[in-house]
Amino acid sequence: MPVANPALNPPPARPDITRAVCRGAGRHLRERGYAIVKEMTFANGRRGDIVALSPSGELLVVEVKSGIEDYRVDGKWPDYREYCDGFLFAVAPEFPREILPDDVGLIVADAYGGELLRDAPRHPLAPARRKMLTIAFAKLAAGRLALIEDPQV
């Protein structure tokens, strides 16, 4: 995986809201049986806020938006579709949902949990890409776990 480029992936403008929505969306996905990793970088240099792996092997990318400004300045989200079976936005309860496109999934979340308001339309990945992404997901998760268990690695 390439190193993340800060110009392609600027830091969130409202980190407290981003962190809360990310936490709640992650909790919601885990409750539904998904394994998740946060901040996974793809071959195109884009970084998914949350990547979720279903029990059946489907991959979702969830883009967290902290507010209108964050959404309006971010034109990169269509680039995620080639790296997932379904794409969703996760937003805070006060986010104006009517500005989001209808052809993506939607989770509304706060720091304590989330609710799926709209399923992500499915566009199945090619088998070779699914395998590559699943291996990258596993390596990222295993690497992070190793750092927790032995930070001096």
Side-chain angles (χ1 to χ4, degrees), residues 59-79:
L59 287 157
L60 301 179
V61 172
V62 181
E63 177 72 1
V64 175
K65 291 290 148 217
S66 64
I68 293 174
E69 307 81 25
D70 183 23
Y71 173 72
R72 289 196 174 140
V73 300
D74 178 10
K76 70 184 185 306
W77 64 267
D79 297 344

Side-chain angles (χ1 to χ4, degrees), residues 90-152:
V91 298
E94 63 275 7
F95 188 94
R97 292 171 247 163
E98 64 277 359
I99 69 170
L100 297 172
D102 292 332
D103 65 339
V104 300
L106 178 61
I107 296 172
V108 173
D110 61 18
Y112 304 101
E115 180 180 353
L116 180 69
L117 296 188
R118 186 171 56 232
D119 273 318
R122 294 303 198 263
H123 41 86
L125 289 166
R129 176 150 297 186
R130 178 183 313 287
K131 180 179 179 180
M132 184 244 345
L133 288 166
T134 303
I135 290 169
F137 181 101
K139 288 176 71 174
L140 178 61
R144 288 180 179 169
L145 181 59
L147 285 174
I148 291 170
E149 292 177 348
D150 186 359
Q152 304 202 355

Side-chain angles (χ1 to χ4, degrees), residues 17-18 21-22 25 49-50 62-66 70 88-91:
I17 294 173
T18 300
V21 172
C22 198
D49 293 328
I50 301 172
V62 181
E63 177 72 1
V64 175
K65 291 290 148 217
S66 64
D70 183 23
L88 303 95
F89 281 111
V91 298

